[in-house]
Amino acid sequence: MEVVIVPDVAAGGELIAEAMARLLRRKPDALLGVATGSTPLPVYRALTAKVRAGDVDISRARIAQLDEYVGLPAEHPESYRSVLRREVLEPLGIGMEAFLGPDGTAEDVQAACEAYDTGLARAGGVDLQLLGIGTDGHIGFNEPCSSLASRTRIKTLTEQTRADNARFFDGDVDQVPHHVITQGIGTILEARHLVLLATGEGKADAVAATVEGPLAAVCPASALQLHPHATVVADEAAASKLKLADYFRYTFVNKPEWQGI
């Protein structure tokens, strides 16, 4: 696992956007896995700036969704499909025909989960999956003690998670769905490159457990230790509890520039 410590979230966004741009220059029809939330927004803004400046052609790129609410209509403004359309697809000029996501309104949710895993495989697999991390080490909606071999499946949201997400639903927790579809950890690990972005002191314990702690289901993100090409990008605050922080800084400064992340 490579750990890159950046001065702030803007620098992290630029670094990851450049990794996406390099991938797209090499493979124009790459499948990019994206996450929702505030953390990845600087990545999307930086990539959009590169596209608009003509630094990279994204016309053949494809976008894959990490998770989705169950029972929320796709056109609902807070469905993750709608959020990603606003924050990723439209700014980048990518149409919905290039978008892959699970059907959160399906009558048979389990079949929808299995269909999404199959769809990702038929699309050739995710080339680069962007991840955030929860304060408890969760990735996607894989909460602590999720199976490290789990596939795309339905998960029940905790009351705390529903309360946290109520701000997107006019502060009304009763509007927040109880269930989500999420790529499982086993599904996530099939992406060719995993890039986790963490910012803020509140993520410091989770980052330390992910990078330097044992491989354990209690910290789902620690599964990145199993991946042959995983990159953790953390700002100074999120990296503040890493014992090997100086080593990570040294190796990144001294790696070949052409190697990227």
Side-chain angles (χ1 to χ4, degrees), residues 75-191:
E75 63 274 12
H76 190 287
E78 295 308 324
S79 77
Y80 288 153
R81 183 177 297 245
S82 290
V83 171
L84 291 173
R85 185 173 62 245
R86 291 194 306 269
E87 296 178 350
V88 181
L89 298 172
E90 290 176 357
L92 290 174
I94 296 175
M96 290 301 292
E97 69 279 359
F99 179 79
L100 288 77
D103 183 1
T105 62
E107 216 171 286
D108 187 337
V109 177
Q110 183 56 38
C113 295
E114 294 170 3
Y116 189 46
D117 263 2
T118 299
L120 290 174
R122 286 178 176 168
V126 176
D127 291 291
L128 185 154
Q129 176 64 58
L130 180 61
L131 299 166
I133 187 171
T135 56
D136 57 3
H138 75 256
I139 50 176
F141 275 111
N142 295 285
E143 299 287 1
C145 293
S146 292
S147 166
L148 302 185
S150 55
R151 309 299 304 174
T152 298
R153 68 208 188 286
I154 186 172
K155 293 287 286 183
T156 301
L157 296 180
T158 64
E159 283 305 299
Q160 184 59 57
T161 298
R162 294 182 68 238
D164 290 344
N165 287 359
R167 67 188 190 276
F168 300 115
F169 293 83
D170 300 321
D172 183 1
V173 69
D174 291 333
Q175 293 187 43
V176 183
H178 283 271
H179 300 99
V180 292
I181 291 175
T182 183
Q183 285 188 36
I185 297 172
T187 305
I188 290 170
L189 289 175
E190 290 178 350

